[in-house]
């Protein structure tokens, strides 16, 4: 998933389409579609996850929304960690996911003017001196 790191955001947010809530074994669950690959006519991958909690989240425009929170594994390079992710409609956003500061390692170095440092379609090798 193409992710934008946002150290101003506390929690990570993932684009979730067609969100449906249901109960399974006495727990609250959610079913949703991930954003499909660019140029695809498919609805995107169907995902299911147990809901950890609901949170009131205020976006950069000052709008508050009640969102389901799920827990998922994350990997960036060699770093692996379970993270909490809120589900929301990010269909108008460039990136399907926003990675908040609580998902980053405590000693993470964020280079705001750099992109795709772990590969991808627009990889830019690190600057050398």
């Amino acid at each position: 998933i193409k992710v934008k790191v946002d150290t101003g955001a506390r929690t990570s947010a993932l684009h979730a389409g067609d969100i449906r809530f249901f109960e399974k074994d006495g727990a609250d669950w959610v079913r949703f579609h991930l954003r499909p690959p660019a140029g695809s006519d498919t609805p995107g991958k169907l995902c299911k996850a147990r809901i950890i909690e609901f949170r009131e989240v205020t976006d950069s425009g000052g709008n508050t929304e009640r969102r389901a929170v799920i827990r998922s594994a994350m990997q960036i390079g060699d770093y692996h960690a379970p993270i909490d992710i809120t589900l929301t409609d990010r269909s108008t956003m460039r990136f399907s996911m926003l990675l908040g500061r609580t998902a980053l390692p405590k000693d993470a170095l964020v280079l705001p003017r750099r992109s795709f440092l772990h590969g991808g379609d627009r990889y830019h090798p690190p600057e050398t001196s």
Side-chain angles (χ1 to χ4, degrees):
I1 296 175
K2 205 160 142 181
V3 173
K4 178 179 182 177
V5 175
D6 183 355
T7 58
R10 182 181 172 280
T11 308
S12 301
L14 175 66
H15 172 72
D18 193 28
I19 297 173
R20 306 282 182 193
F21 300 102
F22 65 100
E23 191 174 305
K24 178 179 169 184
D25 300 326
D28 292 325
W29 283 67
V30 63
R31 177 182 300 118
F32 59 95
H33 283 94
L34 292 179
R35 182 181 283 174
S40 174
D41 292 333
T42 64
K45 182 177 180 175
L46 179 64
C47 299
K48 292 183 246 180
R50 190 171 67 82
I51 297 172
I52 303 299
E53 65 179 330
F54 286 89
R55 286 187 198 156
E56 297 289 323
V57 177
T58 303
D59 65 20
S60 59
N63 304 306
T64 301
E65 176 185 24
R66 185 173 184 261
R67 297 182 188 173
V69 180
I70 64 170
R71 185 157 292 142
S72 182
M74 178 208 56
Q75 177 179 351
I76 300 176
D78 293 331
Y79 177 72
H80 301 264
I83 63 169
D84 289 352
I85 303 169
T86 65
L87 303 178
T88 189
D89 181 356
R90 292 185 52 82
S91 58
T92 61
M93 304 295 179
R94 185 172 167 204
F95 293 88
S96 295
M97 186 170 175
L98 196 70
L99 193 66
R101 66 181 173 269
T102 57
L104 299 171
K106 301 248 184 269
D107 62 349
L109 175 63
V110 177
L111 303 172
R113 293 188 177 142
R114 303 298 305 277
S115 298
F116 302 99
L117 296 176
H118 285 284
D121 57 349
R122 289 182 280 173
Y123 176 69
H124 302 287
E127 295 175 8
T128 57
S129 331

